[in-house]
Structure formats: C-alpha cells, structure tokens
Amino acid sequence: MKLFWKFFFSTSIITLFMFSLGSSIMINTLFQSTLRQEIDYSFQENDILRVSLAKELSKTYQNAVSTSEADARLNEQQLQDSLVKSALQTITVSTANGTVPLRISNSLYQPIYTTGTLAFDDELVKRLDKRTGGYEVVQQRDQYFIRAARPFAIDGETFYLETYRDITLLFETREKQYQIFYRLILGMIVLSFILILFVAYWLTDPIEKLSKATLRLAEGDFKVPAFRDSNDEIGFLSKSFSHMSKRG
C-alpha cells in the first residue's frame, strides 16, 4: 500500500475514533449527571410525602386508637393500615408532570394504598432494610420512571412508601442527541475524507516525486526536476538529492 493511502486511512480512522469516543463520553456523562439530579428529586418527593404523612398521622393517631378500641373487629394491623389510608386521602404531591404516583405497603409488603395506574411489585422494598431507602429505573410501556422507596415507622410498625417520577424526557433527549451524533459522524466522514485527501496529497507528493527522481538517477538520468522549496525534513532531503544529482 502506498504511503498516501496509509496516511489517509490511518488519519481518517484516528480522527473518527477520537471524535466518536469524545462525543459518546460527553453524551453519557451529561445523561448520568441529569439522571442523578432526577434521582435526588425523586427522593425529595418521597421525603415530602413521608413528612406530610407523619405530620398527619401525629394529629389523628390518638383519636383513631381510642375510637378503634371500641371496635373489636379491628386488630392492631388493621388499625394502622386504616389510619394510613385515611391520612393519605388528604396528601398528594404534584409536579409539572402531574400528581406523583405512590404506594404504601405494610411490613408484610402488602399494599395498603395505591394511586395511579403504574404497576408495582415487591422486589424493591424487599431489598431494603428498616433504615435505608433505594431506587431503580424502570420502563413501563414506552415510558421510563425512577421508582424510589423509603421505610417509615408508625407506632413501632414499619411501612414502605414508594413513588414514581417520570423521566421519559431524559431518555428521549439522549436518543435525540445520539441521532444528532450519527448525523455529525456522517458529515465528519465526508468532510474529513476531503480534507485528509488534500493533506495526504500535499505531504506525499514531494516524496513521490523524489522516488521517481531516484529511479531516473539509478538509470543514469542526472537531469532531475526542481523540487518544492520548504524548510521541513522533506525539503532538506530534496535539496540534498538535488545537490547529489548535480555532482553526478
């Protein structure tokens, strides 16, 4: 393979690789940074609900206990579940995307109260202990959500609060960025090929002329053409070759 094509292909591959790597890292870094912000917002929504629920329960719990003591049909677990349901009737968290979907489960992971139409399972809350929260990114139909869960206690009984935050726009934005990236890659291929062809010709043309002159000199023809005057290594080599041919 000629030096021209070696230079052309090697430069093209390196240029496209570095551009692709840099663009991919930039897109994914931006995506992960925004995702981390959305996770923080999701836990903030979850905390707002937990605090609101705790305040509401602190106001009504004693009254609910004294009332339920006269009702033998309710055991302690049923009382707590009923109390949570009653308190949640007056508590919602609304965002620009609407009301936050949520679910409350008791210590047996049984759902007490659920809003919205999103599907909940028990896998996330079963991985939690009684002190820490957790999250997962889930896809339901064509939408993406951050599902956040935290435990909280009522009269010594553990409950779990789960909330959903819609982050579909984040994934759609990343997809659009990749589409723009693919178009840029195609444009880079065309433009870089043109520019690299020009640069490769500009760098290798003196070498090719020098090679032809060397063959002529080897055949006894000491009349070599004038070479391009430059101050680089190729120019120095050309001058040395011209001087050698004149001496011959």
Side-chain angles (χ1 to χ4, degrees):
M1 181 182 293
K2 289 187 175 181
L3 178 63
F4 173 86
W5 293 112
K6 288 181 179 180
F7 178 84
F8 173 78
F9 285 120
S10 61
T11 307
S12 298
I13 291 172
I14 293 173
T15 301
L16 292 175
F17 173 77
M18 295 304 295
F19 177 79
S20 301
L21 180 62
S23 299
S24 179
I25 291 174
M26 182 182 67
I27 291 173
N28 281 286
T29 300
L30 180 61
F31 174 81
Q32 292 297 329
S33 176
T34 309
L35 178 61
R36 172 50 59 184
Q37 291 180 355
E38 293 292 337
I39 292 171
D40 292 338
Y41 294 150
S42 184
F43 277 117
Q44 288 175 13
E45 293 171 351
N46 191 286
D47 289 338
I48 290 172
L49 271 171
R50 287 193 306 113
V51 171
S52 301
L53 180 59
K55 289 181 179 179
E56 186 68 23
L57 290 174
S58 65
K59 296 177 182 178
T60 60
Y61 186 77
Q62 293 301 325
N63 292 335
V65 170
S66 60
T67 301
S68 63
E69 285 176 350
D71 190 350
R73 293 173 301 175
L74 290 177
N75 59 31
E76 185 176 357
Q77 183 68 60
Q78 289 174 325
L79 168 63
Q80 291 170 331
D81 292 357
S82 177
L83 180 60
V84 172
K85 287 182 181 180
S86 176
L88 282 168
Q89 299 296 328
T90 60
I91 298 173
T92 58
V93 174
S94 297
T95 65
N97 297 325
T99 302
V100 177
L102 61 93
R103 182 176 76 165
I104 300 288
S105 302
N106 59 25
S107 59
L108 300 177
Y109 311 115
Q110 297 171 341
I112 300 173
Y113 183 85
T114 305
T115 65
T117 60
L118 297 175
F120 288 85
D121 57 45
D122 302 330
E123 296 302 319
L124 178 60
V125 294
K126 286 182 178 179
R127 296 197 298 266
L128 305 179
D129 57 34
K130 295 183 179 182
R131 294 178 299 275
T132 60
Y135 78 93
E136 62 183 359
V137 177
V138 296
Q139 180 181 8
Q140 294 196 13
R141 298 182 290 276
D142 296 328
Q143 294 180 288
Y144 292 88
F145 300 89
I146 295 175
R147 180 184 176 190
R150 286 191 190 275
F152 66 97
I154 301 176
D155 194 33
E157 184 70 20
T158 300
F159 292 84
Y160 298 94
L161 171 61
E162 301 168 76
T163 55
Y164 274 98
R165 180 176 177 85
D166 191 347
I167 56 170
T168 305
L169 181 61
L170 176 59
F171 283 84
E172 291 176 347
T173 301
R174 185 179 66 168
E175 183 63 28
K176 290 179 182 178
Q177 289 174 340
Y178 271 117
Q179 290 175 1
I180 295 173
F181 166 70
Y182 295 143
R183 296 191 187 100
L184 285 175
I185 282 292
L186 292 177
M188 280 284 297
I189 290 174
V190 175
L191 181 61
S192 63
F193 277 12
I194 295 174
L195 293 176
I196 294 172
L197 273 172
F198 172 77
V199 173
Y201 174 79
W202 180 71
L203 290 176
T204 60
D205 182 61
I207 298 177
E208 185 175 358
K209 289 181 178 178
L210 186 61
S211 176
K212 291 179 180 179
T214 302
L215 291 175
R216 290 172 57 181
L217 184 63
E219 293 173 354
D221 185 1
F222 293 96
K223 295 180 180 181
V224 297
F227 297 104
R228 185 182 67 193
D229 188 18
S230 62
N231 295 321
D232 55 15
E233 289 81 356
I234 295 177
F236 179 76
L237 180 61
S238 299
K239 292 176 183 178
S240 298
F241 184 83
S242 298
H243 180 69
M244 181 181 66
S245 63
K246 291 177 181 179
R247 291 182 61 184

